[in-house]
Amino acid sequence: MSVQERKQRERAERERLIVATARELAEQQGWDAVTTRRLAERIEYSQPVLYSHFRGKREIIGAVALQGASEMAAAMRAATAAADSPRARVTALARAYLAFAERHPAVYDALFQLDGGLAYAQEDTPEPLKDAFAALLECLSEVAGDGVRPELFTETFWASLHGLATLTRAGRLPPQDTERRTELLVDRLAIL
């Protein structure tokens, strides 16, 4: 291995460590607790080293969001792969989405609530974000209905899932009714 390859590998490892540490800290204490000073202390690098990888917290949030989008897409695809009917696939998709939001609130915030400097629904949208939407679209396009653009239906269904996730987490909806809400969403919106 050349010196250049070793340095690139070490740089990539530092970036993974910064992102993992930011994510862990955000999940434990919230995004307000994530500062470059605190990250530098936790990973035992100087703040200038952090700034050589990320220009600031916004870019770190973006990196966590991209990682989270890949994980969310994988979770949704895994959940729908074993389902044997359109209704079962849509139900599995909804459950996987809501479970991801519940298990990873800081990642979910990085994806959908915080400014990570990422473009959404545009030409320059990063691939992991496009892939997460594609994971939704793959499942939902088969139930969009006649005369309905699958992308538009997917956006509407996704917005409903997002509303359920954020309202439940904020304590505005009682969590014990999450399963019934999921069933209603699948039965009424997807009309299965």
Side-chain angles (χ1 to χ4, degrees):
M1 174 183 303
S2 72
V3 172
Q4 182 66 20
E5 289 172 328
R6 182 182 52 78
K7 285 184 179 185
Q8 287 175 338
R9 190 184 75 229
E10 289 171 355
R11 179 173 179 75
E13 184 55 38
R14 275 193 308 272
E15 283 185 12
R16 280 191 291 279
L17 179 60
I18 293 166
V19 171
T21 303
R23 182 175 172 164
E24 179 184 316
L25 186 57
E27 292 290 4
Q28 291 171 352
Q29 300 177 31
W31 279 104
D32 287 342
V34 179
T35 64
T36 53
R37 186 172 54 94
R38 186 175 264 168
L39 285 173
E41 289 170 2
R42 283 211 174 184
I43 63 172
E44 298 178 347
Y45 285 110
S46 67
Q47 283 182 304
V49 169
L50 258 73
Y51 284 116
S52 74
H53 292 274
F54 299 99
R55 285 182 287 196
K57 183 176 176 176
R58 182 179 186 219
E59 283 189 5
I60 294 169
I61 290 170
V64 169
L66 293 176
Q67 184 182 72
S70 295
E71 292 171 10
M72 180 181 265
M76 290 186 295
R77 285 188 176 108
T80 59
D84 60 358
S85 70
R87 185 186 196 294
R89 279 188 288 283
V90 174
T91 300
L93 175 85
R95 286 178 179 150
Y97 183 98
L98 294 171
F100 184 90
E102 182 181 355
R103 278 193 317 274
H104 308 287
V107 174
Y108 193 82
D109 284 348
L111 271 163
F112 302 119
Q113 303 291 102
L114 302 173
D115 179 10
L118 303 173
Y120 286 78
Q122 298 176 25
E123 286 292 320
D124 60 341
T125 298
E127 247 347 278
L129 298 178
K130 288 180 181 179
D131 188 52
F133 185 77
L136 290 163
L137 182 63
E138 289 161 11
C139 177
L140 295 169
S141 62
E142 70 180 316
V143 298
D146 293 337
V148 177
R149 281 188 11 248
E151 296 83 4
L152 186 61
F153 178 77
T154 299
E155 290 168 351
T156 303
F157 197 91
W158 171 30
S160 298
L161 288 173
H162 176 69
L164 290 175
T166 55
L167 290 170
T168 301
R169 187 167 132 208
R172 304 297 196 276
L173 297 175
Q176 68 269 18
D177 293 326
T178 297
E179 184 59 27
R180 183 66 187 126
R181 282 188 206 94
T182 302
E183 291 171 8
L184 283 170
L185 179 62
V186 170
D187 289 343
R188 305 295 183 196
L189 190 59
I191 310 179
L192 297 170

